[in-house]
Coordinates of all heavy atoms in Angstrom, one line a residue:
M1 N 0.9 -1.2 0.0 CA 0.0 0.0 0.0 C 0.9 1.3 0.0 O 1.8 1.4 0.8 CB -0.9 0.0 1.2 CG -2.0 1.0 1.2 SD -3.3 0.3 0.2 CE -4.6 1.4 0.7
T2 N 0.6 2.2 -0.9 CA 1.5 3.3 -1.0 C 1.1 4.5 -0.1 O 1.7 5.5 -0.1 CB 1.5 3.8 -2.5 OG1 0.1 4.2 -2.8 CG2 1.9 2.7 -3.4
G3 N 0.0 4.3 0.6 CA -0.5 5.4 1.4 C -1.5 6.3 0.7 O -2.1 7.2 1.2
Q4 N -1.7 6.1 -0.6 CA -2.7 6.8 -1.4 C -4.1 6.3 -1.0 O -4.3 5.1 -0.9 CB -2.5 6.7 -2.9 CG -1.4 7.5 -3.5 CD -1.5 7.5 -5.0 OE1 -1.7 6.5 -5.6 NE2 -1.3 8.6 -5.6
T5 N -5.0 7.3 -0.9 CA -6.4 6.8 -0.8 C -7.0 6.4 -2.1 O -6.4 6.7 -3.1 CB -7.3 8.0 -0.2 OG1 -7.3 9.0 -1.2 CG2 -6.7 8.5 1.1
L6 N -8.1 5.8 -2.0 CA -8.7 5.3 -3.2 C -9.0 6.5 -4.1 O -8.8 6.4 -5.4 CB -10.0 4.5 -2.9 CG -10.8 3.9 -4.1 CD1 -9.9 2.9 -4.8 CD2 -12.0 3.2 -3.6
E7 N -9.5 7.6 -3.5 CA -9.8 8.8 -4.3 C -8.6 9.3 -4.9 O -8.6 9.7 -6.1 CB -10.4 9.8 -3.4 CG -10.9 11.1 -4.1 CD -12.0 10.8 -5.1 OE1 -12.8 9.8 -5.0 OE2 -12.1 11.6 -6.1
D8 N -7.4 9.4 -4.2 CA -6.2 9.8 -4.8 C -5.7 9.0 -6.0 O -5.3 9.6 -7.0 CB -5.1 9.9 -3.8 CG -5.2 10.9 -2.7 OD1 -6.0 11.9 -2.9 OD2 -4.7 10.8 -1.6
N9 N -5.8 7.7 -5.8 CA -5.4 6.8 -6.8 C -6.3 7.0 -8.1 O -5.8 7.0 -9.2 CB -5.6 5.4 -6.4 CG -4.9 4.4 -7.3 OD1 -3.9 4.7 -7.9 ND2 -5.5 3.2 -7.3
R10 N -7.6 7.2 -7.8 CA -8.5 7.4 -9.0 C -8.2 8.7 -9.7 O -8.1 8.7 -10.9 CB -10.0 7.5 -8.4 CG -11.0 7.7 -9.4 CD -12.4 7.9 -8.8 NE -13.4 8.5 -9.6 CZ -13.5 9.8 -9.8 NH1 -12.8 10.6 -9.2 NH2 -14.4 10.3 -10.6
E11 N -7.9 9.7 -9.0 CA -7.5 11.0 -9.6 C -6.2 10.9 -10.4 O -6.0 11.4 -11.5 CB -7.4 12.1 -8.5 CG -8.7 12.5 -7.9 CD -9.7 13.1 -9.0 OE1 -9.2 13.9 -9.8 OE2 -10.8 12.8 -8.9
T12 N -5.2 10.1 -9.9 CA -4.0 10.0 -10.6 C -4.2 9.2 -11.9 O -3.6 9.6 -12.9 CB -3.0 9.2 -9.7 OG1 -2.8 9.9 -8.5 CG2 -1.7 8.9 -10.4
I13 N -5.0 8.2 -11.8 CA -5.3 7.4 -13.0 C -6.0 8.2 -14.0 O -5.7 8.2 -15.3 CB -6.1 6.1 -12.6 CG1 -5.2 5.1 -11.9 CG2 -6.7 5.4 -13.9 CD1 -6.0 4.0 -11.2
L14 N -7.0 9.0 -13.6 CA -7.8 9.8 -14.6 C -6.9 10.9 -15.2 O -7.0 11.1 -16.4 CB -9.0 10.4 -13.9 CG -10.2 9.5 -13.6 CD1 -11.2 10.2 -12.8 CD2 -10.8 9.0 -14.9
K15 N -6.0 11.5 -14.4 CA -5.2 12.6 -14.9 C -4.2 12.0 -16.0 O -4.0 12.5 -17.0 CB -4.4 13.2 -13.7 CG -3.4 14.3 -14.2 CD -2.7 14.9 -13.1 CE -1.8 16.0 -13.6 NZ -0.7 16.3 -12.8
S16 N -3.7 10.8 -15.7 CA -2.8 10.1 -16.6 C -3.5 9.8 -17.9 O -3.0 10.0 -19.0 CB -2.2 8.9 -16.0 OG -1.4 8.2 -16.9
A17 N -4.8 9.3 -17.8 CA -5.6 8.9 -18.9 C -5.9 10.1 -19.8 O -5.7 10.1 -21.1 CB -6.8 8.3 -18.5
F18 N -6.2 11.3 -19.2 CA -6.6 12.5 -20.0 C -5.3 13.0 -20.6 O -5.4 13.5 -21.7 CB -7.3 13.5 -19.1 CG -8.7 13.2 -18.9 CD1 -9.2 12.9 -17.6 CD2 -9.6 13.2 -20.0 CE1 -10.6 12.6 -17.5 CE2 -10.9 12.9 -19.8 CZ -11.4 12.6 -18.5
E19 N -4.2 13.0 -20.0 CA -3.0 13.4 -20.7 C -2.6 12.6 -21.8 O -2.2 13.1 -22.9 CB -1.8 13.4 -19.6 CG -1.8 14.5 -18.6 CD -0.8 14.3 -17.4 OE1 -0.1 13.4 -17.5 OE2 -0.8 15.2 -16.6
E20 N -2.8 11.3 -21.7 CA -2.6 10.4 -22.8 C -3.5 10.7 -23.9 O -3.1 10.7 -25.2 CB -2.7 8.9 -22.4 CG -2.5 7.9 -23.5 CD -2.5 6.5 -23.0 OE1 -2.3 6.3 -21.8 OE2 -2.8 5.6 -23.8
I21 N -4.8 10.9 -23.7 CA -5.8 11.2 -24.7 C -5.4 12.5 -25.4 O -5.5 12.6 -26.7 CB -7.2 11.3 -24.1 CG1 -7.7 9.9 -23.5 CG2 -8.2 11.8 -25.1 CD1 -8.0 8.9 -24.6
N22 N -5.0 13.5 -24.7 CA -4.6 14.7 -25.3 C -3.5 14.6 -26.3 O -3.4 15.1 -27.3 CB -4.3 15.8 -24.2 CG -5.6 16.4 -23.6 OD1 -6.6 16.4 -24.2 ND2 -5.5 16.8 -22.3
D23 N -2.4 13.8 -25.8 CA -1.3 13.5 -26.7 C -1.8 12.8 -27.9 O -1.3 13.0 -29.1 CB -0.2 12.7 -25.9 CG 0.5 13.5 -24.8 OD1 0.4 14.8 -24.9 OD2 1.1 12.9 -24.0
F24 N -2.7 11.8 -27.7 CA -3.2 11.0 -28.8 C -3.9 11.9 -29.8 O -3.7 11.8 -31.0 CB -4.1 9.9 -28.3 CG -4.8 9.1 -29.3 CD1 -4.1 8.1 -29.9 CD2 -6.2 9.3 -29.6 CE1 -4.8 7.3 -30.9 CE2 -6.8 8.5 -30.6 CZ -6.1 7.5 -31.2
E25 N -4.8 12.8 -29.4 CA -5.5 13.7 -30.3 C -4.5 14.6 -31.1 O -4.8 14.9 -32.2 CB -6.5 14.6 -29.5 CG -7.7 13.8 -29.0 CD -8.6 14.7 -28.2 OE1 -8.2 15.8 -27.7 OE2 -9.8 14.3 -28.1
K26 N -3.4 15.0 -30.4 CA -2.5 15.8 -31.2 C -1.7 15.1 -32.3 O -1.3 15.6 -33.3 CB -1.5 16.4 -30.2 CG -2.0 17.4 -29.3 CD -1.0 17.9 -28.2 CE -1.7 18.8 -27.2 NZ -0.8 19.1 -26.1
E27 N -1.6 13.8 -32.0 CA -0.9 12.9 -33.0 C -1.7 12.8 -34.3 O -1.2 12.6 -35.4 CB -0.7 11.5 -32.4 CG 0.1 10.6 -33.3 CD 0.3 9.3 -32.6 OE1 0.4 9.2 -31.3 OE2 0.4 8.2 -33.2
Y28 N -3.0 12.8 -34.2 CA -4.0 12.6 -35.3 C -4.7 14.0 -35.6 O -5.7 14.3 -34.9 CB -5.0 11.6 -35.1 CG -4.3 10.2 -35.1 CD1 -3.9 9.6 -33.9 CD2 -4.1 9.5 -36.2 CE1 -3.2 8.4 -33.8 CE2 -3.4 8.2 -36.2 CZ -3.0 7.7 -35.0 OH -2.4 6.5 -34.9
D29 N -4.1 14.8 -36.5 CA -4.7 16.2 -36.7 C -6.1 16.1 -37.1 O -6.9 17.0 -36.7 CB -3.9 16.8 -37.8 CG -2.5 17.1 -37.5 OD1 -2.2 17.2 -36.3 OD2 -1.6 17.2 -38.4
W30 N -6.6 15.1 -37.8 CA -7.9 15.1 -38.3 C -8.9 14.9 -37.2 O -10.1 15.3 -37.3 CB -8.1 14.0 -39.4 CG -7.7 12.6 -38.9 CD1 -6.4 12.1 -39.2 CD2 -8.4 11.6 -38.2 NE1 -6.4 10.8 -38.7 CE2 -7.6 10.5 -38.1 CE3 -9.7 11.6 -37.7 CZ2 -8.0 9.3 -37.4 CZ3 -10.2 10.4 -37.1 CH2 -9.3 9.3 -37.0
L31 N -8.5 14.5 -35.9 CA -9.4 14.3 -34.9 C -9.9 15.8 -34.4 O -10.9 15.9 -33.8 CB -8.7 13.7 -33.7 CG -8.6 12.2 -33.8 CD1 -7.8 11.5 -32.7 CD2 -10.0 11.5 -33.9
E32 N -9.1 16.8 -34.7 CA -9.5 18.2 -34.3 C -10.8 18.5 -35.0 O -11.6 19.3 -34.5 CB -8.4 19.2 -34.7 CG -8.7 20.6 -34.3 CD -9.0 20.8 -32.8 OE1 -8.5 20.1 -32.0 OE2 -9.7 21.8 -32.5
N33 N -11.0 18.0 -36.2 CA -12.2 18.2 -36.9 C -13.5 17.7 -36.2 O -14.5 18.4 -36.2 CB -12.2 17.7 -38.4 CG -11.2 18.3 -39.2 OD1 -10.8 19.4 -39.1 ND2 -10.7 17.5 -40.2
F34 N -13.3 16.6 -35.5 CA -14.4 16.1 -34.7 C -14.7 17.0 -33.5 O -15.9 17.3 -33.1 CB -14.1 14.7 -34.2 CG -14.1 13.7 -35.3 CD1 -12.9 13.0 -35.6 CD2 -15.2 13.5 -36.1 CE1 -12.9 12.1 -36.6 CE2 -15.2 12.6 -37.1 CZ -14.0 11.9 -37.4
N35 N -13.6 17.6 -32.9 CA -13.8 18.5 -31.8 C -14.5 19.7 -32.2 O -15.4 20.2 -31.5 CB -12.4 18.9 -31.2 CG -11.9 17.8 -30.3 OD1 -12.6 17.1 -29.6 ND2 -10.5 17.6 -30.4
I36 N -14.2 20.2 -33.4 CA -14.9 21.4 -33.9 C -16.3 21.1 -34.2 O -17.2 21.9 -33.8 CB -14.1 21.9 -35.2 CG1 -12.8 22.4 -34.9 CG2 -15.0 22.9 -35.9 CD1 -11.8 22.7 -36.1
L37 N -16.6 20.0 -34.8 CA -18.0 19.6 -35.1 C -18.8 19.4 -33.7 O -19.9 20.0 -33.6 CB -18.0 18.2 -35.8 CG -19.4 17.6 -36.1 CD1 -20.2 18.5 -37.0 CD2 -19.2 16.3 -36.8
L38 N -18.2 18.8 -32.7 CA -18.9 18.7 -31.5 C -19.1 20.0 -30.8 O -20.1 20.2 -30.1 CB -18.2 17.7 -30.6 CG -18.2 16.2 -31.0 CD1 -17.3 15.4 -30.2 CD2 -19.7 15.7 -31.0
K39 N -18.2 20.9 -30.9 CA -18.4 22.3 -30.3 C -19.6 23.0 -31.0 O -20.4 23.6 -30.3 CB -17.1 23.1 -30.4 CG -16.1 22.7 -29.4 CD -14.9 23.6 -29.5 CE -13.7 23.1 -28.8 NZ -13.7 22.3 -27.6
A40 N -19.7 22.8 -32.3 CA -20.8 23.4 -33.0 C -22.1 22.8 -32.6 O -23.1 23.4 -32.4 CB -20.7 23.2 -34.6
L41 N -22.1 21.4 -32.4 CA -23.3 20.7 -31.9 C -23.7 21.2 -30.5 O -24.9 21.2 -30.1 CB -23.1 19.3 -32.0 CG -23.1 18.6 -33.4 CD1 -22.7 17.2 -33.3 CD2 -24.5 18.8 -34.0
S42 N -22.7 21.5 -29.7 CA -22.9 21.8 -28.2 C -23.6 23.1 -28.1 O -24.3 23.4 -27.1 CB -21.6 21.8 -27.5 OG -20.8 22.9 -27.8
V43 N -23.6 24.0 -29.1 CA -24.3 25.2 -29.1 C -25.8 24.9 -29.0 O -26.5 25.6 -28.3 CB -24.0 26.1 -30.3 CG1 -24.9 27.3 -30.4 CG2 -22.6 26.5 -30.3
R44 N -26.2 23.9 -29.7 CA -27.6 23.5 -29.7 C -27.9 22.6 -28.6 O -29.0 22.6 -28.0 CB -27.9 22.7 -31.0 CG -29.3 22.4 -31.2 CD -29.6 21.9 -32.7 NE -30.9 21.3 -32.7 CZ -31.1 20.0 -32.8 NH1 -30.1 19.2 -32.7 NH2 -32.3 19.5 -32.8
D45 N -27.0 21.7 -28.2 CA -27.3 20.7 -27.1 C -26.0 20.5 -26.3 O -25.2 19.8 -26.8 CB -27.8 19.4 -27.7 CG -28.1 18.4 -26.6 OD1 -28.0 18.6 -25.4 OD2 -28.5 17.2 -27.0
S46 N -25.8 21.1 -25.2 CA -24.5 21.0 -24.5 C -24.2 19.6 -23.9 O -23.1 19.3 -23.8 CB -24.5 22.0 -23.3 OG -25.6 21.7 -22.4
Y47 N -25.3 18.8 -23.8 CA -25.0 17.4 -23.3 C -24.3 16.6 -24.4 O -23.4 15.8 -24.0 CB -26.3 16.8 -23.0 CG -26.2 15.3 -22.6 CD1 -25.8 15.0 -21.4 CD2 -26.5 14.3 -23.6 CE1 -25.6 13.6 -21.0 CE2 -26.3 12.9 -23.2 CZ -25.9 12.6 -21.9 OH -25.7 11.3 -21.5
T48 N -24.5 16.9 -25.7 CA -24.0 16.1 -26.8 C -22.5 16.1 -26.8 O -21.9 15.0 -26.9 CB -24.5 16.6 -28.1 OG1 -25.9 16.6 -28.2 CG2 -24.0 15.8 -29.3
E49 N -21.9 17.2 -26.6 CA -20.4 17.3 -26.7 C -19.8 16.5 -25.6 O -18.9 15.6 -25.8 CB -19.9 18.7 -26.5 CG -18.4 18.7 -26.6 CD -17.8 20.2 -26.4 OE1 -18.6 21.1 -26.0 OE2 -16.6 20.4 -26.6
G50 N -20.2 16.6 -24.3 CA -19.7 15.9 -23.2 C -19.9 14.4 -23.4 O -19.0 13.6 -23.1
H51 N -21.1 14.1 -23.8 CA -21.4 12.6 -23.9 C -20.5 12.0 -24.9 O -19.9 10.9 -24.7 CB -22.9 12.5 -24.3 CG -23.3 11.1 -24.7 ND1 -23.3 10.0 -23.9 CD2 -23.6 10.6 -25.9 CE1 -23.7 8.9 -24.5 NE2 -23.8 9.3 -25.9
S52 N -20.4 12.6 -26.1 CA -19.6 12.0 -27.2 C -18.2 11.8 -26.8 O -17.5 10.9 -27.1 CB -19.8 12.8 -28.5 OG -21.1 12.7 -28.9
R53 N -17.7 12.9 -26.2 CA -16.2 12.9 -25.8 C -16.0 11.7 -24.7 O -15.0 11.0 -24.8 CB -15.8 14.2 -25.2 CG -14.3 14.3 -24.8 CD -13.8 15.7 -24.9 NE -12.5 15.8 -24.3 CZ -11.4 15.5 -25.0 NH1 -11.5 15.0 -26.2 NH2 -10.2 15.6 -24.5
R54 N -16.9 11.6 -23.8 CA -16.8 10.6 -22.8 C -16.8 9.1 -23.4 O -16.0 8.3 -23.1 CB -17.9 10.6 -21.7 CG -17.7 11.7 -20.7 CD -18.7 11.7 -19.6 NE -20.1 11.7 -20.0 CZ -20.7 12.8 -20.3 NH1 -20.1 14.0 -20.0 NH2 -22.0 12.8 -20.6
V55 N -17.7 9.0 -24.4 CA -17.8 7.7 -25.0 C -16.5 7.4 -25.8 O -15.9 6.3 -25.8 CB -19.0 7.6 -26.0 CG1 -19.0 6.4 -26.9 CG2 -20.3 7.7 -25.2
A56 N -16.0 8.5 -26.4 CA -14.7 8.3 -27.2 C -13.6 7.9 -26.3 O -12.7 7.0 -26.6 CB -14.4 9.6 -28.0
I57 N -13.5 8.6 -25.2 CA -12.4 8.3 -24.2 C -12.5 7.0 -23.7 O -11.5 6.2 -23.6 CB -12.4 9.4 -23.0 CG1 -11.9 10.8 -23.6 CG2 -11.5 8.9 -21.9 CD1 -12.2 11.9 -22.6
Y58 N -13.7 6.5 -23.3 CA -13.9 5.2 -22.7 C -13.5 4.1 -23.8 O -12.9 3.1 -23.5 CB -15.3 4.9 -22.2 CG -15.6 5.8 -21.0 CD1 -16.9 6.3 -20.8 CD2 -14.7 6.0 -19.9 CE1 -17.2 7.1 -19.7 CE2 -15.1 6.8 -18.8 CZ -16.3 7.3 -18.7 OH -16.6 8.0 -17.6
S59 N -14.0 4.4 -25.0 CA -13.7 3.5 -26.1 C -12.2 3.3 -26.3 O -11.7 2.2 -26.5 CB -14.4 3.9 -27.3 OG -15.8 3.9 -27.2
Y60 N -11.5 4.4 -26.3 CA -10.0 4.5 -26.5 C -9.4 3.6 -25.4 O -8.5 2.7 -25.7 CB -9.5 5.9 -26.5 CG -8.0 6.0 -26.4 CD1 -7.2 5.9 -27.5 CD2 -7.3 6.0 -25.2 CE1 -5.9 6.0 -27.5 CE2 -6.0 6.1 -25.1 CZ -5.3 6.1 -26.3 OH -3.9 6.1 -26.2
L61 N -9.8 3.9 -24.1 CA -9.1 3.2 -23.0 C -9.4 1.7 -23.0 O -8.5 0.9 -22.7 CB -9.6 3.8 -21.7 CG -9.1 5.2 -21.5 CD1 -9.8 5.9 -20.2 CD2 -7.6 5.3 -21.3
I62 N -10.6 1.3 -23.4 CA -11.0 -0.1 -23.5 C -10.2 -0.7 -24.7 O -9.6 -1.8 -24.5 CB -12.5 -0.3 -23.7 CG1 -13.3 0.1 -22.4 CG2 -12.8 -1.8 -24.1 CD1 -14.8 0.2 -22.6
G63 N -10.1 -0.1 -25.8 CA -9.3 -0.6 -26.9 C -7.9 -0.8 -26.6 O -7.2 -1.8 -26.9
K64 N -7.4 0.2 -25.8 CA -5.9 0.1 -25.4 C -5.7 -1.1 -24.5 O -4.7 -1.8 -24.7 CB -5.5 1.4 -24.7 CG -4.1 1.4 -24.4 CD -3.7 2.7 -23.8 CE -2.2 2.6 -23.4 NZ -1.8 3.5 -22.3
K65 N -6.7 -1.2 -23.6 CA -6.5 -2.4 -22.6 C -6.6 -3.7 -23.3 O -6.0 -4.7 -23.0 CB -7.7 -2.3 -21.6 CG -7.4 -3.1 -20.4 CD -6.3 -2.6 -19.5 CE -6.4 -3.2 -18.2 NZ -5.2 -2.9 -17.4
L66 N -7.3 -3.7 -24.5 CA -7.4 -5.0 -25.3 C -6.2 -5.2 -26.2 O -6.1 -6.2 -26.9 CB -8.7 -4.9 -26.1 CG -10.0 -5.0 -25.4 CD1 -11.2 -4.7 -26.3 CD2 -10.1 -6.4 -24.7
G67 N -5.3 -4.2 -26.2 CA -4.1 -4.3 -27.0 C -4.1 -3.8 -28.4 O -3.3 -4.2 -29.2
F68 N -5.1 -3.0 -28.8 CA -5.3 -2.6 -30.1 C -4.1 -1.6 -30.4 O -3.7 -0.8 -29.5 CB -6.6 -1.9 -30.3 CG -7.8 -2.8 -30.3 CD1 -9.0 -2.3 -30.0 CD2 -7.7 -4.2 -30.6 CE1 -10.1 -3.1 -29.9 CE2 -8.7 -5.0 -30.5 CZ -10.0 -4.5 -30.1
G69 N -3.7 -1.5 -31.7 CA -2.6 -0.6 -32.1 C -3.2 0.8 -32.3 O -4.4 1.1 -32.3
R70 N -2.2 1.8 -32.5 CA -2.6 3.2 -32.6 C -3.5 3.5 -33.7 O -4.5 4.3 -33.5 CB -1.3 4.0 -32.8 CG -0.3 4.0 -31.6 CD -0.7 4.6 -30.4 NE -0.5 6.0 -30.4 CZ -0.8 6.8 -29.5 NH1 -1.4 6.3 -28.4 NH2 -0.6 8.1 -29.5
E71 N -3.4 2.9 -34.8 CA -4.3 3.1 -36.0 C -5.7 2.7 -35.7 O -6.6 3.4 -36.0 CB -3.7 2.5 -37.3 CG -4.2 3.1 -38.5 CD -3.9 4.6 -38.7 OE1 -2.9 5.1 -38.3 OE2 -4.9 5.3 -39.1
K72 N -5.8 1.5 -35.1 CA -7.1 1.0 -34.9 C -7.8 1.8 -33.7 O -9.0 2.1 -33.8 CB -7.0 -0.4 -34.4 CG -8.4 -1.2 -34.3 CD -8.2 -2.6 -34.1 CE -9.5 -3.4 -34.5 NZ -9.3 -4.8 -34.6
L73 N -7.0 2.3 -32.8 CA -7.5 3.1 -31.7 C -8.0 4.4 -32.2 O -9.0 4.9 -31.8 CB -6.4 3.4 -30.6 CG -6.1 2.2 -29.7 CD1 -4.9 2.6 -28.8 CD2 -7.3 1.9 -28.8
S74 N -7.3 5.0 -33.2 CA -7.8 6.3 -33.8 C -9.1 6.1 -34.5 O -10.0 7.0 -34.5 CB -6.7 6.8 -34.8 OG -6.6 6.0 -36.0
R75 N -9.4 5.0 -35.2 CA -10.6 4.7 -35.8 C -11.7 4.5 -34.9 O -12.8 5.0 -35.0 CB -10.5 3.5 -36.8 CG -9.6 3.8 -38.0 CD -9.7 2.7 -39.0 NE -9.3 1.4 -38.5 CZ -8.2 0.9 -38.8 NH1 -7.3 1.4 -39.7 NH2 -7.8 -0.3 -38.2
I76 N -11.4 3.8 -33.8 CA -12.4 3.5 -32.7 C -12.8 4.9 -32.0 O -14.0 5.1 -31.8 CB -11.9 2.5 -31.7 CG1 -11.8 1.1 -32.3 CG2 -12.7 2.5 -30.4 CD1 -11.1 0.1 -31.4
Y77 N -11.7 5.7 -31.8 CA -12.0 6.9 -31.2 C -12.9 7.9 -32.0 O -13.8 8.4 -31.5 CB -10.6 7.6 -30.9 CG -10.6 8.8 -30.0 CD1 -10.8 8.7 -28.6 CD2 -10.5 10.1 -30.5 CE1 -10.7 9.8 -27.8 CE2 -10.5 11.2 -29.7 CZ -10.6 11.1 -28.3 OH -10.6 12.2 -27.5
A78 N -12.6 7.9 -33.3 CA -13.4 8.7 -34.2 C -14.8 8.2 -34.3 O -15.8 9.0 -34.2 CB -12.8 8.7 -35.6
A79 N -15.0 6.9 -34.4 CA -16.3 6.3 -34.5 C -17.1 6.6 -33.2 O -18.3 6.9 -33.3 CB -16.2 4.8 -34.8
A80 N -16.4 6.5 -32.1 CA -17.1 6.7 -30.8 C -17.6 8.2 -30.7 O -18.7 8.5 -30.3 CB -16.3 6.4 -29.6
F81 N -16.8 9.1 -31.2 CA -17.1 10.5 -31.2 C -18.4 10.7 -32.0 O -19.2 11.5 -31.6 CB -16.0 11.4 -31.9 CG -15.3 12.2 -30.9 CD1 -13.9 12.2 -30.8 CD2 -15.9 13.3 -30.2 CE1 -13.2 13.0 -30.0 CE2 -15.2 14.1 -29.4 CZ -13.9 14.0 -29.3
L82 N -18.6 10.0 -33.1 CA -19.7 10.3 -34.0 C -20.8 9.2 -33.8 O -21.8 9.3 -34.6 CB -19.2 10.2 -35.5 CG -18.1 11.2 -35.8 CD1 -17.5 10.9 -37.2 CD2 -18.6 12.6 -35.7
H83 N -20.8 8.5 -32.7 CA -21.8 7.4 -32.7 C -23.3 7.9 -32.7 O -24.1 7.2 -33.0 CB -21.5 6.6 -31.5 CG -21.9 7.2 -30.2 ND1 -21.1 8.1 -29.5 CD2 -23.0 7.0 -29.4 CE1 -21.8 8.4 -28.4 NE2 -22.9 7.8 -28.4
D84 N -23.5 9.1 -32.2 CA -24.9 9.6 -32.2 C -25.3 10.3 -33.4 O -26.5 10.7 -33.6 CB -25.1 10.5 -31.0 CG -25.3 9.7 -29.7 OD1 -25.8 8.6 -29.8 OD2 -25.1 10.3 -28.6
I85 N -24.4 10.6 -34.3 CA -24.7 11.4 -35.5 C -25.2 10.5 -36.6 O -24.7 9.5 -36.9 CB -23.5 12.2 -36.0 CG1 -23.1 13.2 -34.9 CG2 -23.8 12.9 -37.3 CD1 -21.9 14.0 -35.1

């Protein structure tokens, strides 16, 4: 036991995951287009942007845990972003 509480451990894991996602998005320039599209949609429905991004993040993390490569992860991430459209 490292002395970290469950909440501290959760925060550390989430921070690391979001940093990884941000780096991943920068690697694939075309993903920025999805962010722009979702920002436009959020003007009409603010729930949509947050929901789609959460689904994309969870899909990425699950795919990574399953051992998928970067290219496959990028397609899964993009599809998850657009799953409601």
Side-chain angles (χ1 to χ4, degrees):
M1 191 84 165
T2 64
Q4 280 191 320
T5 66
L6 183 59
E7 184 64 25
D8 290 339
N9 191 35
R10 179 182 164 278
E11 290 299 317
T12 301
I13 291 168
L14 286 174
K15 183 180 179 200
S16 175
F18 282 115
E19 287 172 358
E20 181 177 338
I21 294 290
N22 286 331
D23 291 342
F24 176 76
E25 286 180 340
K26 289 175 188 170
E27 184 178 331
Y28 293 92
D29 294 336
W30 53 268
L31 285 173
E32 181 59 26
N33 295 333
F34 294 119
N35 285 321
I36 292 168
L37 177 61
L38 288 173
K39 284 185 192 331
L41 290 172
S42 72
V43 170
R44 186 168 168 261
D45 180 8
S46 61
Y47 177 78
T48 302
E49 180 185 13
H51 167 72
S52 293
R53 183 157 173 77
R54 284 189 302 274
V55 171
I57 290 169
Y58 293 143
S59 298
Y60 170 88
L61 294 172
I62 291 167
K64 183 177 178 203
K65 195 70 164 172
L66 290 170
F68 296 154
R70 300 290 277 178
E71 199 58 39
K72 191 169 201 170
L73 286 172
S74 72
R75 291 189 300 254
I76 289 170
Y77 191 78
F81 247 123
L82 301 173
H83 77 277
D84 279 335
I85 297 175

